[in-house]
Amino acid sequence: MSIDYKNLSSMQLDAIRELGNIGAGHAATTLSNMINQTIMISVTKVALVSLREIKQLLGEHNQAIAISLNVQGDFIGSILLCLELKNACSLIDIISNKNIGDTINISDIEENRLKEAGSVLAASYLNAIGDFANLKFIITQPSLLKDTVGNILENKYLELERRAKFSFCIETDFIESSNKIKGYFLLIPELKSLELI
């Protein structure tokens, strides 16, 4: 079976978006409990794009932080939660109960908090897919990448180019009070897993 990612039907994209919304709801609940305050997560856009298109979509020269995890089990691939550096700092402020703008330089402790948040989000999205499609997953420990979007994706995708060609790009807003932080959740399946989904 071959995937024509440019011609996915609106029904197929709506199904992916709905899975994203379910996963976002689970992640919001877990993160809210973790930081003892309410945080909402909404999915604003879902697209299936080529690996090379992602750099253009996210802005390849923007400074960013990405939380990277690998997935094994019924689904094989990688997950990347990518945020512009200023948005990553704002997310740290929220999950650390600070005022937005307090974090300028990210410490090792704050990197660990970001990795924990990334793991929660990744697990929530995958659990939504797993419950829907009756699939089981194992997620590796997260790593943190800090560089321009272009360099992060080039370094990451050198590992993936032979096994994966496309990514689900789920544009996500983290909302706390009047603060809104944009991030990109990239679900990168190997080809057989893409066909399975």
Side-chain angles (χ1 to χ4, degrees), residues 69-79 126 135-141 163 190 193:
L69 308 97
N70 292 323
V71 185
Q72 300 172 344
D74 293 334
F75 173 98
I76 299 174
S78 295
I79 292 174
L126 284 177
L135 302 174
K136 297 187 183 300
F137 312 103
I138 300 171
I139 304 175
T140 64
Q141 290 294 314
R163 298 179 285 123
E190 291 191 4
S193 295

Side-chain angles (χ1 to χ4, degrees), residues 50-56 153-154 157-158 161 165:
S50 71
L51 299 185
R52 294 300 171 184
E53 287 173 317
I54 295 173
K55 287 194 295 185
Q56 299 173 351
L153 296 178
E154 280 295 327
Y157 291 151
L158 285 176
E161 281 182 325
K165 298 298 180 184

Side-chain angles (χ1 to χ4, degrees), residues 17-192:
R17 186 177 296 108
E18 182 59 25
L19 287 177
N21 283 324
I22 293 169
H26 292 173
T29 299
T30 304
L31 281 176
S32 296
N33 290 336
M34 188 172 76
I35 65 176
N36 199 31
Q37 62 176 301
T38 300
I39 183 168
M40 297 177 63
I41 302 174
S42 67
V43 173
T44 57
K45 185 177 180 181
V46 174
L48 184 59
V49 296
S50 71
L51 299 185
R52 294 300 171 184
E53 287 173 317
I54 295 173
K55 287 194 295 185
Q56 299 173 351
L57 187 63
L58 274 63
E60 66 176 306
H61 300 298
N62 292 335
Q63 290 291 321
I65 284 182
I67 311 302
S68 174
L69 308 97
N70 292 323
V71 185
Q72 300 172 344
D74 293 334
F75 173 98
I76 299 174
S78 295
I79 292 174
L80 219 60
L81 173 61
C82 193
L83 305 109
E84 287 188 34
L85 183 58
K86 63 179 181 180
N87 288 335
C89 290
S90 295
L91 183 58
I92 287 170
D93 288 334
I94 289 175
I95 63 180
S96 303
N97 293 311
K98 298 179 181 178
N99 295 320
I100 297 293
D102 281 355
T103 299
I104 300 173
N105 297 310
I106 300 176
S107 68
D108 290 343
I109 292 174
E110 289 163 337
E111 284 187 2
N112 286 333
R113 285 180 180 155
L114 271 182
K115 288 193 285 188
E116 184 178 4
S119 292
V120 166
L121 188 60
S124 297
Y125 276 101
L126 284 177
N127 286 338
I129 294 171
D131 291 344
F132 181 80
N134 195 28
L135 302 174
K136 297 187 183 300
F137 312 103
I138 300 171
I139 304 175
T140 64
Q141 290 294 314
S143 59
L144 186 141
L145 309 170
K146 183 179 179 182
D147 207 327
T148 64
V149 168
N151 286 340
I152 287 172
L153 296 178
E154 280 295 327
N155 292 335
K156 183 63 183 172
Y157 291 151
L158 285 176
E159 308 169 18
L160 295 170
E161 281 182 325
R162 295 179 183 174
R163 298 179 285 123
K165 298 298 180 184
F166 312 114
S167 171
F168 291 104
C169 182
I170 304 173
E171 189 176 305
T172 303
D173 285 340
F174 299 85
I175 304 164
E176 185 271 332
S177 186
S178 60
N179 301 303
K180 182 184 292 186
I181 302 166
K182 186 170 296 298
Y184 295 88
F185 179 79
L186 306 175
L187 178 60
I188 308 160
E190 291 191 4
L191 287 176
K192 289 184 178 179

